[in-house]
Amino acid sequence: MNDNISGWNTWLKAFDDWTDVSISEVHGLMTGLMTACDAPDEQVWAKVFEELSFAPLPDEALTLLTEEAEDTVFQLKDKDDAYSYTPLVPDDEHDLYERVMALKQWANGFMTGFGITDCRLSSEENEMLTDLAKIGGIRLEDDEDFEGGEESYLYIYEFARMVPVSFATRQRKPVKDIALIAGLAIDAKTTKELQAEGKLTKPMPPVIDVMNQNNPS
């Protein structure tokens, strides 16, 4: 599958002005969340990213993420369609190093996304996440060959691809009900916004800063 068909180029363009994490990690996060939740609207996605301490998404990126989440939920709910799910990584015309790093980032994103759903794991799911964490922990230098080459990459790619397929059988819940944002009004203003309006006093400096000022080295 090439970069145009997979959506890689579309994601690159939409997230061009947003560089907090890679598009593969965002796609993994979205997928992890969508294995246990219904697809939220743009407001809820914006709140999720805010609570994860990410910078606000550009409008084009937020719209793309919302649409892709809807498509992913629809795909994963269908047993036949689910098997055609693919992580967002560059195609095989890219260097192996780049593809391995993208898959690593996707794996870490998935674990973050699924982790904030507060879902309980079966023993089999726990084992799969343990193995996925190993992919997320891959370390390679720029000039270092990936052990096992293309064959090993295809093996871990196929394993990663099947994780959301296996996780998507649970009953879904609204994203607004997860602990990360539960109880927060979607249109609630941030602390920074309230401070700018003079409705909150500026926060006290961290205790450790005060201690350092009182006890300079």
Side-chain angles (χ1 to χ4, degrees):
M1 184 178 293
N2 65 42
D3 288 343
N4 288 320
I5 296 175
S6 69
W8 178 261
N9 289 335
T10 301
W11 279 70
L12 276 182
K13 179 183 177 183
F15 284 81
D16 182 55
D17 295 327
W18 191 85
T19 56
D20 281 28
V21 296
S22 72
I23 56 174
S24 292
E25 188 161 343
V26 173
H27 191 268
L29 188 155
M30 177 272 292
T31 304
L33 197 54
M34 292 303 95
T35 59
C37 297
D38 295 316
D41 61 21
E42 291 188 9
Q43 276 190 306
V44 176
W45 271 121
K47 182 62 66 176
V48 168
F49 273 64
E50 178 185 323
E51 292 304 311
L52 289 173
S53 299
F54 288 132
L57 290 173
D59 290 343
E60 184 179 357
L62 187 58
T63 298
L64 176 63
L65 178 66
T66 303
E67 292 173 350
E68 289 287 327
E70 292 175 356
D71 290 344
T72 298
V73 169
F74 183 80
Q75 181 180 29
L76 291 177
K77 279 183 175 180
D78 186 283
K79 291 183 179 180
D80 294 327
D81 287 348
Y83 286 97
S84 63
Y85 171 84
T86 55
L88 186 69
V89 296
D91 69 22
D92 57 12
E93 292 185 2
H94 293 254
D95 289 342
L96 179 59
Y97 172 84
E98 186 178 352
R99 286 178 278 144
V100 171
M101 289 298 100
L103 188 61
K104 162 193 170 79
Q105 293 154 3
W106 181 92
N108 284 326
F110 182 91
M111 290 187 292
T112 298
F114 183 78
I116 63 176
T117 66
D118 314 308
C119 287
R120 300 181 71 174
L121 291 168
S122 67
S123 57
E124 182 180 354
E125 289 171 334
N126 189 60
E127 185 176 346
M128 293 184 77
L129 274 191
T130 299
D131 289 337
L132 192 64
K134 294 176 183 177
I135 297 175
I138 292 173
R139 294 192 177 191
L140 284 178
E141 299 297 332
D142 289 349
D143 58 350
E144 185 180 355
D145 291 333
F146 179 57
E147 185 177 356
E150 291 283 349
E151 185 176 351
S152 291
Y153 169 73
L154 291 174
Y155 176 82
I156 63 171
Y157 172 86
E158 187 62 21
F159 171 80
R161 189 179 76 81
M162 292 304 298
V163 172
V165 176
S166 301
F167 274 53
T169 57
R170 68 188 72 243
Q171 184 175 354
R172 285 173 169 75
K173 57 186 176 181
V175 173
K176 63 182 180 61
D177 289 347
I178 64 176
L180 181 73
I181 60 175
L184 293 175
I186 293 304
D187 58 352
K189 293 183 178 180
T190 65
T191 300
K192 288 183 179 179
E193 289 172 334
L194 291 173
Q195 288 170 356
E197 295 175 359
K199 295 180 180 178
L200 285 179
T201 58
K202 291 186 177 181
M204 292 290 288
V207 173
I208 192 165
D209 289 349
V210 176
M211 293 174 62
N212 287 339
Q213 290 172 6
N214 292 337
N215 300 284
S217 55

